[in-house]
Amino acid sequence: MAMTHTARPARTAAGVRAPLALIGAGALAMVMVEMLNPEYDLVSETLSRYVHGTAGPLLPAALLAVGAASAVLAARLGPGTGRAGRAGRAALVVWTLGILVAGLFPADPPGHWHRPSPSELVHGNAAFLAFAALPTAAVLLRRRMPTAHRPGLRTALNALTWASITTTTALAVFLIDVMDGGPSLGLGSAPTLVGLAERLVIAADLAWLALALVAVGGEGRVGTAGTAGTASPTGTAGAVGPSDAVNHPAARAESGQDRHA
C-alpha cells in the first residue's frame, strides 16, 4: 500500500513538470527571439511582429507551447462547481484557444497597423480575447486554488492576478490609442508603449499559469496522501497528516505487532 501511495504523488509531480516545462520553454523562446532581433524596439513594437525577424518561427512555437500547458491546467481544474468556478474555467478555455489560434495565424510585419491582413485580424482578435480572458479566469478561480495550507503561494497568485489586471488594462489603452489614429501615448523616442505593456502582460500571465499549475499539482498530492474518508480543509478526501498516521487505530495495532514480533 505504501508503494501505491508513493507512486501516485510521483505521477502527479511528473504531470505538473511537463506543462511547467512547456511554459518555461515558451518563455525562453520569447526571450531568444527578443535577443536575436535588436533592431526591433521592445517598447513600442509588439512581440508578435518578431515572427518576421530572425528565428521568427520560435514565436508561434512558444505560443503553442503555452497554449498546450494552459489546456493541461484547464483539464486538471475539472468542470468546476458553482457559477464562479464554471465561468472561471470557461475563461481559461478562452485564453487557451486564443493563444493557440494566435500561434497558428502570424501577425503582420511592423508598420501595418492600418492595413491589416486577414491573418493579422485573426491573430490580433484571438490574442486580445486571450489577454482579456486570463485575468478574468484568475479572479474567478482564486477561491478554487488549493492554497489553504500554502499562504505564500496564495499571496503570490493574488499579486499576479492584480498584476495581470493592471497590465492588461494598460495594454488595452495603448492598443486603442494605436488603432485610433496612430501612436501618441509614447515616451521619449518611443511613439507608443504598447510593446512594453504587452511584455508585462505576458510576464504576469505566464507566471500566474506556472503557479496555478503548482497549486493544482499540490492538490493531487494532498488528495492521494491518505485513504478516502473525512474531507480535508482543501476539499480533498482523506488526507492524513503525520500525527494522524501515528494515532490511527490501524497504525497502533501494527506497531503493537512489531513489538511482540
Side-chain angles (χ1 to χ4, degrees):
M1 183 64 70
M3 290 178 62
T4 303
H5 288 168
T6 302
R8 287 177 180 174
R11 286 197 298 270
T12 301
V16 172
R17 284 196 294 268
L20 283 177
L22 286 173
I23 292 176
L28 179 60
M30 293 180 192
V31 172
M32 289 179 62
V33 171
E34 194 88 66
M35 295 176 62
L36 292 172
N37 292 276
E39 70 276 10
Y40 286 8
D41 184 4
L42 62 88
V43 175
S44 61
E45 200 62 68
T46 59
L47 189 61
S48 302
R49 311 292 182 178
Y50 285 42
V51 70
H52 298 280
T54 303
L58 283 177
L59 186 58
L63 295 177
L64 294 177
V66 172
S70 302
V72 172
L73 176 60
R76 292 234 171 175
L77 285 171
T81 57
R83 185 176 301 174
R86 290 191 295 270
R89 186 169 182 264
L92 186 60
V93 170
V94 171
W95 152 269
T96 301
L97 294 176
I99 288 297
L100 291 174
V101 171
L104 294 173
F105 290 84
D108 287 344
H112 288 68
W113 288 106
H114 304 299
R115 298 185 304 276
S117 67
S119 180
E120 165 69 21
L121 289 173
V122 174
H123 174 92
N125 287 321
F128 189 80
L129 283 175
F131 285 146
L134 189 93
T136 303
V139 170
L140 293 172
L141 293 173
R142 68 189 187 280
R143 297 186 183 278
R144 286 203 64 202
M145 293 297 170
T147 57
H149 300 295
R150 291 175 288 179
L153 181 58
R154 181 175 63 247
T155 300
L157 280 170
N158 288 336
L160 288 171
T161 298
W162 282 108
S164 180
I165 293 171
T166 304
T167 54
T168 300
T169 302
L171 176 61
V173 171
F174 288 117
L175 282 174
I176 292 172
D177 177 64
V178 166
M179 295 176 183
D180 186 23
S184 60
L185 294 177
L187 182 66
S189 60
T192 177
L193 305 182
V194 65
L196 178 60
E198 183 198 46
R199 285 158 177 78
L200 293 175
V201 170
I202 292 172
D205 290 353
L206 293 189
W208 184 90
L209 285 170
L211 289 188
L213 281 165
V214 170
V216 173
E219 182 182 32
R221 287 191 292 274
V222 172
T224 56
T227 57
T230 306
S232 69
T234 59
T236 56
V240 178
S243 61
D244 296 330
V246 173
N247 295 322
H248 196 278
R252 291 200 301 269
E254 187 174 346
S255 177
Q257 291 175 1
D258 293 340
R259 286 196 299 271
H260 292 294

